[in-house]
Amino acid sequence: GEDGETHQGIFDVPFLSSIPNVTILAPSYYEELRGMMEDAVRNLTGVVAVRYPRGKQLYKPLGFLCGREKYAVWGDPSAKICIVTYGRTFSFACMASEKLQEHGIPVKVIKLNWVRPMDPDAVKEASRAEVVLFFEEGILQGGAGEQFSYLLYQTGYSGRYVLRGVDAKFVRQATMQQSLGELGLDAEGIYQTIVTECGLW
């Protein structure tokens, strides 16, 4: 069956983040999953959560190299628009950014491989953009996007910050694609959010 209301992974980041010294890793692809599982078992100490959705591997942009660093940057490093995300949402963020690039709009995508603790360098990288948009397939209250906004604020960031995720509710049973479409977290939803929030046209 599809994802039902009682078994969605939209609450794990907030509740795990409330526990001291828990590390949360979020691979997007099989290769990253293998590497992070090895790190979790052999190289890291304490409680480590590796969050990975069931189902097949999703879209991976041409030329993207999987690694074991705490974050990765894809797209134009000097872009004024920056998307920050993690997990499988990275696939949809890349699809949205490629659609924008077809219209001559450069975009930078920051992929958090370590959701907790977040790498300060990832926050500094985002702070170079004029608009930072954080998309996460999880509830907003206590989620990674709220944590990132706080760290971004501490850098003295004066640009625009937009956070999109799931309100504190149970999402009705549907296919993954249907749910993400309704939540505005698929490629089209991310694209439309950027167009609207950045006033592109």
Side-chain angles (χ1 to χ4, degrees):
E2 298 297 340
D3 290 341
E5 294 183 9
T6 60
H7 57 282
Q8 294 165 340
I10 60 175
F11 304 103
D12 56 352
V13 170
F15 83 71
L16 287 169
S17 295
S18 69
I19 305 170
N21 304 318
V22 170
T23 300
I24 305 174
L25 308 180
S28 302
Y29 304 108
Y30 298 148
E31 183 180 342
E32 293 174 338
L33 175 61
R34 285 190 291 268
M36 291 185 194
M37 285 295 291
E38 183 177 353
D39 285 339
V41 173
R42 298 185 178 182
N43 303 323
L44 298 174
T45 58
V47 176
V48 181
V50 181
R51 62 185 318 274
Y52 192 84
R54 69 185 181 125
K56 64 182 180 180
Q57 178 171 285
L58 299 180
Y59 173 73
K60 181 165 65 172
L62 184 66
F64 179 77
L65 300 177
C66 295
R68 290 159 84 161
E69 63 275 4
K70 294 185 178 180
Y71 74 97
V73 179
W74 176 254
D76 185 346
S78 62
K80 296 179 180 180
I81 299 173
C82 174
I83 301 173
V84 185
T85 191
Y86 59 92
R88 69 180 174 191
T89 310
F90 174 71
S91 296
F92 303 111
C94 287
M95 294 168 69
S97 69
E98 288 174 359
K99 187 174 181 179
L100 288 163
Q101 289 165 15
E102 291 173 1
H103 294 284
I105 308 295
V107 179
K108 169 172 62 178
V109 183
I110 295 177
K111 179 169 114 61
L112 300 177
N113 294 325
W114 284 49
V115 177
R116 186 177 188 270
M118 291 180 182
D119 192 326
D121 289 338
V123 180
K124 290 179 183 177
E125 181 68 38
S127 70
R128 299 187 180 102
E130 294 181 4
V131 183
V132 177
L133 304 102
F134 197 109
F135 295 91
E136 69 177 313
E137 190 183 340
I139 61 170
L140 296 170
Q141 293 80 0
E146 278 193 353
Q147 297 171 47
F148 196 89
S149 68
Y150 174 71
L151 296 174
L152 194 62
Y153 171 77
Q154 287 188 315
T155 69
Y157 181 68
S158 58
R160 179 165 165 73
Y161 185 76
V162 179
L163 175 57
R164 290 290 183 272
V166 183
D167 290 326
K169 64 180 181 181
F170 293 101
V171 178
R172 69 180 183 86
Q173 183 171 356
T175 67
M176 177 267 290
Q177 199 64 49
Q178 286 172 333
S179 293
L180 293 180
E182 291 177 6
L183 294 168
L185 295 172
D186 60 353
E188 183 62 23
I190 293 173
Y191 171 80
Q192 291 297 338
T193 296
I194 295 171
V195 168
T196 301
E197 295 292 343
C198 298
L200 296 181
W201 47 75

